[in-house]
Amino acid sequence: MELAAEASVVIKKLKDTLSDEITNKRVIEKALEEIQCVIADTNEEQRNSEEFKEWAEGCLHSLYYVEDTVESFALDIARQNKKWSFLMNHSQVLKNFMACKLTKKMERIPSDIKRVINKNHKGTGEQSACGSGTTTDMGNQNGGEAEDGDIEDHNGEDSAKFRLISPKAQCSYPTIPEREELVLEVDRKPLRCISDKSLWLDREKKAKLMSTNIPLRSISDKSLWLDRETQARLMYTNSYDDEELEMFGIREEVYDLVERLTMTADDGRAPIVQIAGEMGSGKTTLARAVYRSRKIKNHFKSGCAWVTIPKEFNKSDVLQNLLKQVGDSKDSVDLTPNELETRLLECLNGKNYLIVLDDVQSDKMWEGLRSVFLDSRNGSTLLLITTSVPPMWYVSTPNCIHEVKKLSEKYSWRLFMKKAGWDTWEEGKEHQDSKQRVLKVCCGLPLNTVLLGSMLSTKGDTNRFDYLQKILRRNWKTKDIVSLSYTNLPDHLKLCVLYLVLFPKEYDIPVRRLFRLWLSEGFVNPKPYKFPEDVVQENFDDLVKRSLIQISKFRSDGSPRRCRLLGVLHDYLLPKAQNIRLFHVHCSTCSTEDSFPLNVRRLVERASSKNIYSDASRFEHLRSYLSFNFQRKDTPAKEVGILLSRVITFGLLRVLDLEGVYKPSLPENLGDLFHLRYLGLRWTFLDALPSSVGDLPYLETLDVKHTNINNLPTSMWKSKKLRHLNLSHIRLDMPKHSDTDSLPTLLTLWGLSVDDDSPVKNGLDRLCNLREAGITFCLSNCDHLLNWISKLTSLQSLRLRSINDVGHPSHFGNEPLSLSSLSNLSHLNLLGKLPNLPENLPQGLKVVTLSLSNLTEDPMPILGKLQHLNVLRLLSDSYMGKEMVFPQGGLKELRVLKLWKLKNLEKWNVEEAAMEKLIEINIRCCNKLMSIPERLRKNEVSGN
């Protein structure tokens, strides 16, 4: 239950914040642990009783009181230390006085908690606070952008593709459906040596191009002026693997819908098409596949827009969201619904858009929007995704309603077995009866099938079937399967998945961002001998395995880049998050202060905060502030400064995430936020940081990527807790001499610029625990830098770019790079002239990218030995030779190969048993290469 999870977080904060000498610390911990035991001893029926709900409210009050008391006291201590630093450091009397002050304040907390616990015993008839736990028929409730470190891909011309059957292709990330096809992309007509008859073109996938020959400084500067509306739309991408369509058996449905939507008016094109079906039938999955179709993109010349309708329908929010995607949203925040409608009609007049309205749940929602989409001047097509059963016949004619088909028993069973992790199923009567009950429970709905199978996959092989027998004893509906998937989670994962609800519905969440937010919120339980980042990765993988988190975009190496919470799960979890007051969402319907509850702990802003923060007491306990208000792209968000100036007074804020908010106003005394762990300013285009940001003692993440900030306070180097520092090609003024270690916990240093004035020796080389490093350097002698890097034995991802004083690629020095000691390195990206390719490359490399290396010797004898390599990119002038040979049996795990701008390459040979798992080849601007290897042609012919 959520209370048990919240209690574990408060216990963790208690241990982290207070020293062992503080009286009553362990007493309070024991009282909170008792709450967890009581919750574990209650069954589902008891938890639904009014007595338990009343008891839970009292527990929640106690938990938040403990959290507020402890963190407020720690803040008082910090402020006293800052004001009377000498006395506090040298006076034991003052220390004892402050300890006594906290003791008196906290000594009544255990008795208060005990009183609440005893009330539960009386109300529910429990005999003991702790026990062995009660197991119900549902089982044990306490059971078991380009992102940093990756290559930035930029959209280029469409390419021709050839698909070659490769049955051995496998996936490097367990959540990607297995591919069965090899994709070959070239930047011109089919090669002359291949018969046109044996090849077919696939225009569904857009080719990617990276202009590596542009000076790096130009790239950096240019990126700062990207359209912020485009950046905001990237949050709602639809990047799903084609195999998902095959898995759900909807490939033909996608084709039919695409054909229907691209019909001309003369052929009877309908202005409105509905996708209708039950909850969990896969309506949104089908619509996304249609939406991202290349034929759809080519047909709707004006563009496409996707809006998810919130359950608390607000016409203004929907219209403003549409305006952002199809027209000019400037100054739209103050317009009335009628004015917004008029502006939207003007934008749509004579245009040809595809507009998707997802999750239209009622007639009322449609009535509020129909005047826009039934206007005769609107030449666009509307795709409605409705949950109405039967569909809204009066909106579309019957032949323009697509009812999503249920899975056949064959598809449903195959999907269930795959998700559950079963290879075979016994033929006995008991097993066959269970199979039929499973099919009945799944009812042909993909959501039921996936959630039920995924939940079983977390059980051990020995008791998986027994657990299935238990949960099949009752009749299940979709909402019951969703509920069971959540209640079956361990406590430490419940808050993690609830936290996803604060993001807008169907929002694409950067995995990098989510991980660091979870850590900063204190949701990750530490494990001995493990980094917190490794634990959070385990938590994420567990939720993905349970299908509670969906990967919406992958990197080329198969690792997740973006994720999202399924809409059905968002609707189910939102009330649970609200019940424990996890966060408050401010949207356009929250027009007055009265709409704000008291004591908001996490504030999520999705609309302008103008004129609503005058009552500072409402934010006395605010821990997190996240803004998704991207409506104004040319006006600095000054209201952010108003809020922060009030919040700083209380000083309890842990998370400040303003990613994508245009130039938010940050107060100069930001450093007074003693508890701040996360400061996310990516894509804000800020020009400067308050100098006091270096005074934040617990700051773990500072992200200023895609900003105009060109320096950081030198006090940043004194930080003892900073773990992740993402910059925007910033040169750091690091003190050359210091008595203390600089940034001892730093794991990520991305976007750093180094020149001859940067202290490397006795400076940067004191950072010895880095896992990710992205460095652009302009040095007359790079020996010190490369020597430091060769000693970063924990390094997992490395990007090095050598440039000269005008920003053009330069040399990596005269000596070969020494990377053999970097045994943990998995991603390597080098841009600049190499004397030669290092012979002893780390054998764990999964992704290698070389640009402008000017290698004269064939790199494949070295690269071919990398047995774990998934992705190989040989980009602009990385190899200057005429012939390249992929050695026999080499590159066994290679899945993606890109050869771009190798202007001298004429001949390319692939020997026997090389690249057996290759699924994608992308060739660009290799104008002298007139054929592909014979082996690949044989595979293609055998596939036809």
Side-chain angles (χ1 to χ4, degrees), residues 367-475:
E367 288 298 327
L369 298 168
R370 63 182 300 173
S371 57
V372 176
F373 300 108
L374 294 182
D375 189 280
S376 60
R377 297 170 295 170
N378 181 2
S380 301
T381 297
L382 180 67
L383 182 62
L384 291 179
I385 306 175
T386 66
T387 53
S388 302
V389 182
M392 298 186 290
W393 298 103
Y394 64 90
V395 174
S396 308
T397 56
N399 64 337
C400 294
I401 297 177
H402 182 95
E403 292 193 72
V404 179
K405 300 174 184 176
K406 291 187 176 183
L407 298 177
S408 67
E409 287 194 354
K410 177 183 176 182
Y411 263 111
S412 185
W413 184 248
R414 188 175 74 178
L415 181 58
F416 170 78
M417 290 284 286
K418 181 174 183 177
K419 289 295 182 180
W422 269 313
D423 296 323
T424 58
W425 189 257
E426 296 183 18
E427 297 295 331
K429 185 177 184 303
E430 183 182 21
H431 280 76
Q432 291 307 306
D433 289 344
S434 296
K435 176 180 178 179
Q436 292 306 312
R437 291 202 301 274
V438 167
L439 292 173
K440 184 178 180 181
V441 167
C442 293
C443 197
L445 298 175
L447 181 66
N448 289 0
T449 309
V450 166
L451 288 181
L452 185 60
S454 298
M455 183 171 54
L456 287 172
S457 71
T458 64
K459 307 299 178 183
D461 293 336
T462 55
N463 61 0
R464 192 180 305 171
F465 183 74
D466 293 338
Y467 183 75
L468 177 62
Q469 294 287 79
K470 287 182 180 180
I471 63 178
L472 290 175
R473 290 174 185 170
R474 55 178 286 188
N475 294 321

Side-chain angles (χ1 to χ4, degrees), residues 491-614:
D491 284 337
H492 71 278
L493 291 181
K494 286 182 177 176
L495 280 181
C496 288
V497 74
L498 278 180
Y499 195 77
L500 273 71
V501 183
L502 63 77
F503 292 92
K505 194 173 180 180
E506 297 295 338
Y507 186 88
D508 259 342
I509 308 167
V511 174
R512 168 263 317 162
R513 185 181 184 183
L514 180 64
F515 281 14
R516 296 178 188 177
L517 285 171
W518 276 348
L519 287 167
S520 300
E521 294 281 5
F523 291 165
V524 179
N525 292 330
K527 292 185 178 180
Y529 312 111
K530 280 194 175 184
F531 279 91
E533 286 75 9
D534 296 330
V535 178
V536 79
Q537 179 71 60
E538 292 174 1
N539 291 352
F540 179 81
D541 290 342
D542 195 348
L543 290 171
V544 169
K545 185 177 182 181
R546 295 169 183 268
S547 296
L548 294 176
I549 289 181
Q550 183 181 32
I551 307 299
S552 55
K553 190 173 183 64
F554 293 92
R555 292 186 176 93
S556 56
D557 66 337
S559 61
R561 171 177 282 171
R562 295 184 183 275
C563 66
R564 61 156 56 102
L565 190 67
L566 288 175
V568 174
L569 288 168
H570 196 285
D571 291 340
Y572 170 76
L573 293 173
L574 181 58
K576 292 186 174 295
Q578 291 171 334
N579 286 343
I580 62 170
R581 298 195 289 277
L582 188 66
F583 58 85
H584 170 75
V585 176
H586 167 60
C587 54
S588 60
T589 55
C590 307
S591 57
T592 65
E593 290 183 0
D594 294 336
S595 60
F596 271 79
L598 292 174
N599 299 329
V600 175
R601 305 189 80 78
R602 293 179 183 87
L603 177 60
V604 181
E605 185 181 76
R606 298 180 190 167
S608 175
S609 53
K610 188 177 181 181
N611 299 326
I612 59 173
Y613 295 138
S614 60

Side-chain angles (χ1 to χ4, degrees), residues 259-301:
E259 291 299 310
R260 179 180 296 180
L261 291 170
T262 54
M263 291 172 63
T264 64
D266 294 337
D267 294 332
R269 176 186 66 85
I272 299 177
V273 176
Q274 283 190 66
I275 298 179
E278 296 180 46
M279 180 176 70
S281 60
K283 302 181 296 297
T284 302
T285 299
L286 174 60
R288 285 198 191 104
V290 171
Y291 185 82
R292 67 186 173 94
S293 164
R294 177 53 50 197
K295 188 171 183 179
I296 288 290
K297 302 293 184 184
N298 291 336
H299 178 80
F300 292 96
K301 301 296 184 182

Side-chain angles (χ1 to χ4, degrees), residues 300-315:
F300 292 96
K301 301 296 184 182
S302 300
C304 300
W306 183 297
V307 177
T308 300
I309 310 295
K311 199 167 186 179
E312 299 79 16
F313 171 69
N314 179 265
K315 183 176 180 179

Side-chain angles (χ1 to χ4, degrees), residues 13 39 60 97 192 310 342 366 423 523 569 595 645 648 674 679 716 744 782 787-788 817 823 833 881 913 915:
K13 289 182 179 180
I39 295 170
L60 188 66
F97 172 75
R192 291 199 298 267
T342 300
W366 170 243
D423 296 323
F523 291 165
L569 288 168
S595 60
S645 63
I648 287 175
F674 172 77
L679 182 55
M716 288 297 305
C782 54
N787 182 57
W788 163 53
L817 285 175
S823 59
K833 299 176 183 178
M915 301 190 296

